[in-house]
Amino acid sequence: MKLLRNMVLVALSLIIIAGCTHKTPYTNRSQMIFMSPKEELALGEKSYKEALSEAKVITGTNDANRVKAIGERIAKVANRSDFSWEFNLVQNDALNAFCLPGGKVVVYTGILKAARNDDQLATVISHEIAHALARHGAERMSSSMVQQGVQVLGNVVLAVGAPEYQNVFNQTYGIGTQVGVMLPYGRMQESEADEIGIYLMHKAGYNIYESLKFWENMSDGKKETSEFLSTHPSSTTRIKDLEKVIAKVLAGQ
């Protein structure tokens, strides 16, 4: 009887896992995500409101208008009518930018030191939007929760009001990190966001070669940590990988 019960549980688990398999846009990589889009959007909306309430949002300046205009241009080609897009520039010297579920994009003024023209700024915004489109945050949260044994049959114990989940969500999506454009996603997700970002940039009519210059700017004058000691690709590796992606995108024109 116990054996039969275990077999039934295994079978149900396999069915559930199959139902939680998703594909990333453009790259078509298979993902295992246990969080529903509704849960993801609820957490994103809460974090977005809190992040803006604690930040100095800049409006009406040339840079703020650029962030909005570039963001809207990329959002148009992202083709997600279910997203309620918003683009904000906030005063903060950190090299940071993030996009929360539902298309809530925040760019820190600090990243403008590396994103020195519209095409380079489009690189940043496209990269962050790519993370949201590919649901990288939900993927990492699902993986983390399963590893910690939080998963229950058919669902992940996820309460929107639970601060422990909100904190994990904030960390996963890079809210408050010093280099959000490079953290906190893993190396594979960072590379994937780079690739998807190039497709978005290209569709939006931006100069995709400027993405290479942006990553040069990001490492300008800095001694980068060895890739083997980091979960993230170095700028040198990213540039080499992006050159391959650019060649593939242009070959497919």
Side-chain angles (χ1 to χ4, degrees):
M1 187 70 178
K2 185 177 179 181
L3 177 61
L4 178 60
R5 183 181 64 181
N6 289 338
M7 290 176 64
V8 171
L9 287 174
V10 169
L12 286 173
S13 297
L14 290 174
I15 293 171
I16 290 163
I17 289 172
C20 295
T21 302
H22 302 265
K23 292 282 190 179
T24 55
Y26 296 100
T27 58
N28 290 315
R29 178 177 61 85
S30 294
Q31 299 171 289
M32 199 66 67
I33 299 177
F34 296 97
M35 183 189 303
S36 73
K38 184 178 179 180
E39 291 168 325
E40 190 180 11
L41 287 171
L43 285 168
E45 186 67 28
K46 188 171 185 293
S47 289
Y48 178 66
K49 289 178 179 178
E50 289 177 355
L52 289 190
S53 70
E54 298 169 359
K56 180 182 178 182
V57 180
I58 300 172
T59 60
T61 67
N62 181 54
D63 284 336
N65 292 337
R66 287 173 60 222
V67 167
K68 183 176 176 61
I70 292 170
E72 289 177 346
R73 186 166 154 184
I74 296 167
K76 187 175 181 179
V77 301
N79 196 29
R80 288 297 298 266
S81 58
D82 56 322
F83 278 22
S84 298
W85 296 97
E86 291 185 33
F87 302 91
N88 283 287
L89 178 68
V90 302
Q91 182 64 52
N92 194 308
D93 291 335
L95 295 171
N96 195 17
F98 56 84
C99 177
L100 296 177
K104 312 301 186 185
V105 178
V106 175
V107 176
Y108 285 18
T109 53
I111 202 70
L112 299 178
K113 299 171 187 176
R116 299 169 187 170
N117 58 40
D118 284 1
D119 296 296
Q120 291 173 24
L121 184 52
T123 301
V124 176
I125 296 175
S126 293
H127 175 95
E128 297 304 329
I129 287 176
H131 277 309
L133 295 180
R135 300 188 68 194
H136 284 159
E139 182 180 25
R140 282 180 70 81
M141 283 193 73
S142 297
S143 175
S144 176
M145 288 176 178
V146 169
Q147 289 172 7
Q148 294 173 29
V150 180
Q151 183 193 1
V152 295
L153 188 64
N155 197 11
V156 171
V157 180
L158 183 65
V160 172
E164 62 269 28
Y165 291 114
Q166 198 72 50
N167 291 337
V168 171
F169 183 90
N170 290 349
Q171 293 169 11
T172 301
Y173 279 88
I175 301 173
T177 59
Q178 291 301 301
V179 281
V181 78
M182 298 180 73
L183 291 170
Y185 300 103
R187 186 182 300 181
M188 178 273 295
Q189 290 173 323
E190 282 296 308
S191 297
E192 188 169 62
D194 284 345
E195 180 173 354
I196 295 172
I198 292 298
Y199 280 101
L200 294 173
M201 277 184 72
H202 185 60
K203 288 178 70 174
Y206 286 102
N207 182 354
I208 54 181
Y209 285 105
E210 283 295 312
S211 63
L212 307 178
K213 184 60 180 175
F214 168 74
W215 285 108
E216 288 176 8
N217 296 342
M218 282 291 286
S219 61
D220 188 27
K222 299 184 183 72
K223 185 177 181 181
E224 294 191 280
T225 304
S226 170
E227 260 187 289
F228 297 103
L229 301 178
S230 171
T231 58
H232 306 91
S234 67
S235 292
T236 301
T237 297
R238 298 182 96 133
I239 290 169
K240 290 180 180 178
D241 290 343
L242 282 172
E243 287 174 341
K244 297 175 184 177
V245 172
I246 289 171
K248 183 168 65 173
V249 170
L250 295 179
Q253 282 184 320

